[in-house]
Amino acid sequence: MIKVLNDIFVLEGKNIQYAFGPYKGLLRHIYFGNKVDERDFQHFDIEDISSNDSAYDIAWEEYTPWGGLRYKEPAVKVRFSDGTRDLVLEYYGFLIEEDILRIRFRDKFYPIEIFLNYKMYEEYDILARWVEFKNLGKEDIFIEKAYSCELNLEGTGYYITNVLGYWAGEGRRFKEKLEGGKLILESRKGNTGHNNNPYFILDIGADEDRGEVYFGTLEYSGNFKILVEATPYYSTRVLMGFNDFDFEYRLKPSEGLIVPKAYLGYTDKGYSDMSKRLHSFARDIILPGDLKNSLRPVLFNSWEATLFDVKCHEQIELARKAKDIGCELFVVDDGWFGERNSDAVGLGDWEVNKEKFPKGLEELIDEVNRLGMEFGLWIEPEMVNPNSKLYKEHPEWVYRFNNRELTTARNQLVLNLTLKEVKDYLFNVLDGLLTNYNIKYIKWDMNRPFSEAGALNLDIKEQKMIWFLHSRAVFEIVERLRNKHKGIEIEACASGGGRVDFGILNYFDEFWASDNTDALDRLLIQESVGYIYPAKAMRCWVTDCPNFISGRTIPIEFRFHVAMMGALGIGGNLNKWSKEEFDLAKKKIKQYKEIRHIVQHGELFRIKSITKDEIHALQYVYKGESVLFAFKAHQRFGRKSYKVKLKGLKDNKIYEVKYDDKIIRKGGAYLKNLGIDIILDGDFSSQLIIIKEV
Ligand code: DGJ
């Protein structure tokens, strides 16, 4: 709900409130937190401390322009064609369009208009903020920096959480206290990347169930930047949006630019409540419409089983076994096209390899469909190997700088998606595959960051726009495909978890969290991803041991339980599985189908984490049903029994808990306060416990 009280705007969610307004020439932030009586809000006068500490730097501005006596990080910086480089914004009133509050600014002299947009998703207590620029004049305007939002918080010393990841080490969390100075989380790679993720979590001593948490995510999949600044003036600022590294947007006369949406939240109930709000918001609002309400199928993926050595008859054998254990979708990964026998060849040549599929891809797809499964295919549209036919025909289709050698990574180059013909070509390739074959699932991969990021087709003044244009082009292609092929399921992958963000989830149904499928590492990767992203969107496979990354051997039941905490997939070589492994797989996939609605649509509670505790336990609750997963990695000092206090249950309801081959009936209050004692006996022991309201 939007309330306007003289010079103060208030956006209200179910539990939260956000207040700001124009006062003495600046748009000032007033409050973000739990609801208070809005009639009590007021503006405060701020004085200069000295000639070196102006009120501009001390004031909590909603969107700080660079100019005058401002030295803090600006939210926006522009350059006009006559060389003037600061913005002098004047408040031009507001509009309310449906449920969006739009605050209008114009520069005092130059013809630029800026809208700050606010939309409160009341039910989820999530505030969307984004910015629009419009050039009202006859000359170009250059936007050198544009964040999606700025947030001003009282005091310093907030704990900031994000990840310090890399390939196969995605999701390694860190938490750091910021008493002073700036902390930057960013990507300069062209995509989201593995290193940091586009979200912030700020708290002062919160835990899972208690404490104040401010959080935010960005609906963007390109170079992002989050800057957290503990100011000398007893406040902390958070800015989130486009990375200004190598960024400049040329706004031509009468053109506009929309900066991606930031989603902000506040809770005083700890991380668990933060995740609950983000998960339900992502499921209901962010994910693409087609499959929003359906559950993700159990898939088989061929990658770890056969790598590039894809052979039709072997895939058919795998498909039969996949069906036998209960898979619903069969996905052929890399290696089905062109001369693709290694990562050094074939990328870009998207025709079916005749040696691998002598009777065409239909032979496999028909059999997969006959077995009653859907078929899916891997593709890496944005890339090309230099020795491919595509590159030989179109060497001008890759990003490049004049007079510079091209740098390959994984033997590949990045296609220039700012070229219309490349975008159309990729759409036609994908459209062709989806039209000619009965393909219901696409795994869209991207295995390298950008280098020599120049687009010779673009004007010299537009070179620094490529980061944004590329990301937008990917979304445009996917949107066109979705419009034409309703119900298609698309997985985002970028060398594992290099493209996990709310931007991608707006167009893709799910993501691959990591190439690291070692179940112990995965516990941590998945836990980390789960702070922000819903289980439904996270693909998790059961693969073979010894694991190809860790060399570790972990019992198959443990591996299943870990992968069952997301959208389950099987990635092992079924042609080598023993009877015992098959039997267990059948049992577990059947069980997953019975509980997947709880995992995929339920509320997540992190009960114990092996980062701190001897055991790891996560619980999912959906209406009156719940499932608890508990794990122990290493047996220590003979201890076998562990107390786990359940969460998310109703105090006065009775629940039936099935575990350790027994069934107990207890009240919700009992299970939450006294808990249950579970047995985890030995290295890599695990339990899946079902709890039902009776
Ligand atoms: C990287 C992905 O993360 C893997 O799952 C697999 O699809 C390979 N690429 C294929 O080249």
Side-chain angles (χ1 to χ4, degrees), residues 167 170 194 301 303-304 307-308 333-335 340 343 347 378-380 410 412 443 445-447 491 493-498 512 514-516 541:
W167 176 81
E170 294 93 335
H194 305 70
N301 177 294
W303 176 242
E304 282 195 35
L307 296 175
F308 298 100
D333 209 281
D334 202 347
R340 190 74 168 168
D343 63 19
L347 262 194
W378 177 96
I379 182 164
E380 191 175 357
R410 210 194 192 209
Q412 61 199 54
K443 178 177 170 189
D445 206 347
M446 186 211 188
N447 281 300
E491 174 183 347
C493 172
S495 285
W512 181 224
S514 177
D515 277 343
N516 188 341
W541 306 342

Side-chain angles (χ1 to χ4, degrees), residues 324-343:
D324 196 36
I325 55 174
C327 292
E328 297 156 312
L329 170 72
F330 186 83
V331 184
V332 175
D333 209 281
D334 202 347
W336 58 269
F337 54 91
E339 299 297 311
R340 190 74 168 168
N341 292 315
S342 75
D343 63 19

Side-chain angles (χ1 to χ4, degrees), residues 451-491:
S451 59
E452 296 83 39
L456 302 186
N457 53 307
L458 295 179
D459 190 276
I460 201 150
K461 295 177 180 158
E462 294 168 355
Q463 292 300 312
K464 293 181 181 177
M465 288 162 64
I466 72 122
W467 307 101
F468 168 64
L469 296 179
H470 185 100
S471 182
R472 195 169 66 182
V474 169
F475 294 162
E476 277 168 16
I477 297 170
V478 174
E479 191 160 33
R480 270 177 86 187
L481 286 173
R482 282 202 177 278
N483 288 338
K484 188 154 176 208
H485 302 276
K486 295 280 175 218
I488 179 88
E489 189 168 341
I490 313 182
E491 174 183 347

Side-chain angles (χ1 to χ4, degrees), residues 613-633:
D613 305 298
E614 234 172 90
I615 66 164
H616 198 83
L618 292 172
Q619 191 190 345
Y620 299 78
V621 180
Y622 181 74
K623 297 182 179 162
E625 295 177 281
S626 177
V627 52
L628 172 78
F629 293 88
F631 304 88
K632 179 161 82 176

Side-chain angles (χ1 to χ4, degrees), residues 63-237:
Y63 200 67
T64 303
W66 184 69
L69 286 171
R70 290 184 185 89
Y71 305 93
K72 60 187 171 187
E73 174 79 358
V76 52
K77 184 168 184 303
V78 305
R79 190 177 79 247
F80 297 102
S81 52
D82 64 359
T84 294
R85 302 196 316 281
D86 69 354
L87 256 179
V88 181
L89 293 181
E90 283 187 331
Y91 175 62
Y92 251 70
F94 69 95
L95 308 167
I96 295 179
E97 288 171 2
E98 292 183 8
D99 45 4
I100 301 171
L101 172 64
R102 287 160 62 73
I103 310 292
R104 192 207 302 254
F105 286 98
R106 285 200 182 158
D107 185 86
K108 205 167 180 176
F109 178 83
Y110 291 94
I112 187 169
E113 184 169 66
I114 303 181
F115 277 102
L116 303 190
N117 298 312
Y118 296 79
K119 174 175 168 151
M120 180 65 85
Y121 289 86
E122 289 177 34
E123 205 191 317
Y124 306 90
D125 278 327
I126 297 282
L127 174 69
R129 285 191 58 181
W130 70 105
V131 180
E132 279 171 63
F133 294 92
K134 188 141 196 223
N135 183 344
L136 306 174
K138 295 195 167 63
E139 311 266 6
D140 289 345
I141 298 171
F142 295 91
I143 300 174
E144 297 180 351
K145 190 192 280 276
Y147 287 101
S148 307
C149 71
E150 167 174 352
L151 186 62
N152 286 270
L153 303 173
E154 172 68 35
T156 57
Y158 287 83
Y159 288 95
I160 302 164
T161 309
N162 202 272
V163 297
L164 258 189
Y166 51 86
W167 176 81
E170 294 93 335
R172 293 174 58 241
R173 297 181 84 227
F174 73 88
K175 192 167 173 176
E176 188 166 314
K177 190 172 187 186
L178 195 70
E179 305 270 17
K182 299 184 177 92
L183 182 132
I184 290 169
L185 305 163
E186 66 172 351
S187 166
R188 299 180 172 202
K189 294 184 163 178
N191 63 5
T192 316
H194 305 70
N195 305 140
N196 298 150
N197 197 268
Y199 69 80
F200 70 84
I201 301 174
L202 254 67
D203 70 89
I204 299 196
D207 63 20
E208 285 298 326
D209 307 306
R210 276 165 293 267
E212 292 183 283
V213 187
Y214 295 92
F215 54 95
T217 65
L218 195 61
E219 194 180 271
Y220 189 50
S221 240
N223 283 359
F224 70 89
K225 181 165 165 183
I226 298 170
L227 184 140
V228 188
E229 177 176 16
T231 77
Y233 312 114
Y234 312 105
S235 71
T236 296
R237 305 173 65 233

Side-chain angles (χ1 to χ4, degrees), residues 362 365 427-440 442 481 484-485 488:
E362 294 86 341
I365 300 180
F427 171 77
N428 290 332
V429 166
L430 282 149
D431 179 41
L433 286 168
L434 293 171
T435 307
N436 299 332
Y437 302 103
N438 191 19
I439 294 173
K440 290 281 187 275
I442 292 282
L481 286 173
K484 188 154 176 208
H485 302 276
I488 179 88

